[in-house]
Amino acid sequence: MQKIIIADDEARIRKLVSDFLKAEGFTPVEAEDGEQALELFEKNRDEVVLILLDIMMNGLNGWEVCRKIRESSTVPVIMLTARSQEFDELMGYESGADDYVTKPFSPSVLMKRVHALLRRTEGYFSGAVQDSDNLVILADAHEVRLDGKPLDLTLKEYSILQKLMENPGRVFSREQLLDSIWGYDYVGDMRTIDSHVARLRTKLGEWGNAHLKTVYGIGYKIEED
């Protein structure tokens, strides 16, 4: 389970970001101040893949929280602030933050920054993922093996399979897959997902027929045994 902590003293900001994170397949964990953010991080340390920290919070501010987290963890941190002064940015990086987003921000742009940061850091869907029927995704090598043999997948086919494999049993709509893989600024035909999934299922053969399922009127999922 990939959890992302959102620490912000504005409930509406937490709710907005949480909704977008859920749509991307993450589990949001909300904190209303710095102390709570640290408590939640300690309780969920093994599952937290990223932290979104508002700088100006009551009690411990974002800089202080980030410094305390950096004493024992390299988990990715994105700082959020309503101020855009260079001082804020420098303080954020000096405290150990990995990225910096100024309010007001577009949630879709924030999600792109989240994915980009996770791709650059270790531990995000790294190593091998294997199901009971001998399908293995080697993320570091960007390779898929079925029964020990490599599959010749396009980048988009690979990305669709990886996204679904990260969340077995969860149904992703065409729009969610397009936003996640093609990008939020994609303006083409939404049905392009259908053609890519059809080719992917063919390449996966019996495994694809058994596990890559169409949920009619909604989208696609990987069905667990």
Side-chain angles (χ1 to χ4, degrees):
M1 183 183 300
Q2 294 178 324
K3 294 183 178 180
I4 292 181
I5 293 176
I6 311 153
D8 196 300
D9 54 8
E10 294 186 65
R12 62 181 184 84
I13 295 293
R14 297 197 305 270
K15 176 65 166 58
L16 177 64
V17 176
S18 290
D19 288 345
F20 272 77
L21 288 173
K22 290 175 184 177
E24 293 295 312
F26 298 107
T27 299
V29 179
E30 297 185 26
E32 61 184 20
D33 56 41
E35 288 84 355
Q36 189 177 28
L38 288 173
E39 291 174 5
L40 291 172
F41 176 65
E42 289 302 325
K43 290 180 180 178
N44 301 275
R45 178 181 286 267
D46 293 337
E47 297 175 315
V48 173
V49 296
L50 187 142
I51 300 176
L52 297 170
L53 278 179
D54 180 34
I55 290 181
M56 303 306 294
M57 293 185 291
N58 294 326
L60 292 177
N61 61 40
W63 294 324
E64 294 169 320
V65 173
C66 191
R67 289 192 193 101
K68 288 183 177 293
I69 288 173
R70 282 292 171 262
E71 292 175 0
S72 62
S73 174
T74 59
V75 64
V77 173
I78 296 178
M79 306 296 283
L80 308 176
T81 181
R83 304 191 319 192
S84 59
Q85 296 177 1
E86 183 181 9
F87 173 75
D88 279 352
E89 186 171 357
L90 291 174
M91 285 292 292
Y93 289 132
E94 289 177 1
S95 67
D98 299 279
D99 203 353
Y100 189 93
V101 176
T102 301
K103 298 178 182 179
F105 53 80
S106 162
S108 60
V109 171
L110 178 60
M111 292 305 104
K112 286 187 177 181
R113 302 285 280 273
V114 166
H115 281 292
L117 180 54
L118 288 174
R119 283 195 296 268
R120 296 199 306 267
T121 55
E122 297 180 359
Y124 180 57
F125 202 65
S126 60
V129 175
Q130 182 173 5
D131 88 322
S132 60
D133 288 338
N134 299 318
L135 181 97
V136 180
I137 295 181
L138 301 168
D140 292 340
H142 214 268
E143 182 177 306
V144 177
R145 290 180 175 268
L146 182 59
D147 296 323
K149 299 178 181 178
L151 294 180
D152 183 18
L153 303 182
T154 67
L155 176 60
K156 289 295 191 291
E157 291 165 354
Y158 172 91
S159 298
I160 291 171
L161 180 62
Q162 185 185 43
K163 183 71 174 180
L164 296 177
M165 285 285 289
E166 288 176 11
N167 301 273
R170 178 186 169 182
V171 179
F172 283 88
S173 68
R174 295 178 180 87
E175 183 176 8
Q176 287 172 332
L177 290 172
L178 280 172
D179 287 347
S180 176
I181 297 168
W182 271 258
Y184 289 95
D185 54 354
Y186 177 77
V187 294
D189 186 356
M190 189 174 296
R191 293 289 173 174
T192 188
I193 285 289
D194 297 337
S195 59
H196 279 79
V197 170
R199 288 195 295 271
L200 176 59
R201 186 182 283 121
T202 297
K203 292 180 180 180
L204 291 170
E206 293 182 5
W207 191 97
N209 292 329
H211 296 279
L212 181 49
K213 299 297 184 180
T214 300
V215 181
Y216 292 100
I218 303 178
Y220 300 96
K221 70 174 181 176
I222 290 294
E223 189 170 88
E224 299 177 289
D225 293 333

